[in-house]
Amino acid sequence: MTQVFPYTSAQDRRRKLGLVALQSDESIEDDMRCLLPADVSFLVSRVPSGEDVTPESLRAMEVHLTGAAALFPRGLRFDAVGYGCTSGASQIGKVRVAQLVGEGTETARVTDPVSALVAACRAAGITRLAILSPYVASVSDHLREVLRAHGIDTPIFGTFAEPNEAKVVSIDGPSIMAAATSMMEGAEVDGLFLSCTNLRTLDVIAPLEAGLALPVLSSNLVLAWHMLGGQGAPRDLL
């Protein structure tokens, strides 16, 4: 005998945040789950991405963004959706990213690490920013141009010169600490940005800030902060 039971429907009133992460990214989901408050509903989709990071492989993601966003549950309305790629956002452009993601899912806002970084710099009064990136300079050149267009100079740039995403995720904290400390010696800047959502940075931000006596931002930190509405300072999430 089959029994059919009635049920009542519960309403989920939590803030709903979505993330379009790169297929190759092993870090961003862990970081977001550490940074976002427990009372947030957080869903993730993935976009195809290359094993090696080049301007061409970054721009190639453009054609897949709408499809990746369309894999979120139908009928769900997000408070914000983030596109989780710093270099990709600088290559494709924030307007185009927002358009493509918005065509795939319903959301009040779309953001990305570059837009979030600009907002964080404005909130902190940062106009001269040092950048440490895992990628070769040619990948980060466009990011620096975008920041310059928003009134943020990047006179200090350091890199691990590693194009392969599988190796980027393995760069350890002591290596990041050593590189950042070295490049910041005598640097006349207002802050440091650790670029790349796949770089494991959360554990080094606080000790770097203590040693440098300057704000230290990272791709995932500013993205989480901006997805939540950009209130207060990004480091409040740590």
Side-chain angles (χ1 to χ4, degrees):
M1 182 179 68
T2 300
Q3 292 181 280
V4 179
F5 297 99
Y7 66 89
T8 57
S9 297
Q11 287 190 325
D12 187 352
R13 300 185 184 279
R14 295 175 297 169
R15 282 179 293 178
K16 295 176 176 58
L17 301 179
L19 173 70
V20 178
L22 271 58
Q23 178 182 1
S24 56
D25 197 319
E26 299 178 45
S27 299
I28 191 169
E29 286 187 66
D30 287 341
D31 283 1
M32 287 294 176
R33 297 189 191 283
C34 288
L35 293 168
L36 297 176
D39 62 349
V40 164
S41 173
F42 177 59
L43 301 179
V44 181
S45 182
R46 292 267 172 171
V47 62
S49 59
E51 294 181 7
D52 288 337
V53 177
T54 66
E56 293 74 25
S57 68
L58 292 167
R59 288 193 293 269
M61 277 187 281
E62 181 175 357
V63 299
H64 301 292
L65 273 177
T66 298
L71 293 176
F72 286 120
R74 293 184 179 90
L76 190 64
R77 177 174 171 79
F78 288 100
D79 294 276
V81 173
Y83 166 51
C85 185
T86 314
S87 300
S90 67
Q91 290 286 337
I92 300 170
K94 69 175 185 178
V95 173
R96 184 63 173 154
V97 167
Q99 176 190 358
L100 293 170
V101 171
E103 289 174 358
T105 193
E106 189 174 357
T107 179
R109 292 187 300 115
V110 177
T111 187
D112 60 80
V114 180
S115 300
L117 176 60
V118 170
C121 286
R122 286 176 176 165
I126 295 172
T127 59
R128 290 174 61 82
L129 185 68
I131 297 178
L132 178 61
S133 169
Y135 306 127
V136 294
S138 61
V139 170
S140 297
D141 284 346
H142 201 66
L143 168 62
R144 300 175 74 186
E145 291 174 8
V146 171
L147 293 175
R148 189 178 303 115
H150 285 88
I152 304 167
D153 291 328
T154 56
I156 305 296
F157 178 77
T159 175
F160 293 107
E162 179 53 68
N164 187 271
E165 286 285 16
K167 293 182 179 178
V168 166
V169 72
S170 72
I171 298 173
D172 64 9
S175 298
I176 298 171
M177 288 283 295
T181 302
S182 176
M183 67 181 277
M184 292 295 282
E185 288 182 7
E188 296 181 0
V189 293
D190 307 317
L192 169 65
F193 177 56
L194 306 175
S195 183
C196 180
T197 60
N198 203 20
L199 193 64
R200 299 194 188 278
T201 60
L202 290 193
D203 290 340
V204 303
I205 292 175
L208 278 175
E209 284 192 333
L212 300 173
L214 288 171
V216 176
L217 305 169
S218 74
S219 292
N220 293 343
L221 178 61
V222 296
L223 181 59
W225 171 79
H226 208 223
M227 287 170 64
L228 287 167
Q231 301 299 312
R235 76 171 328 279
D236 294 340
L237 299 181
L238 294 173

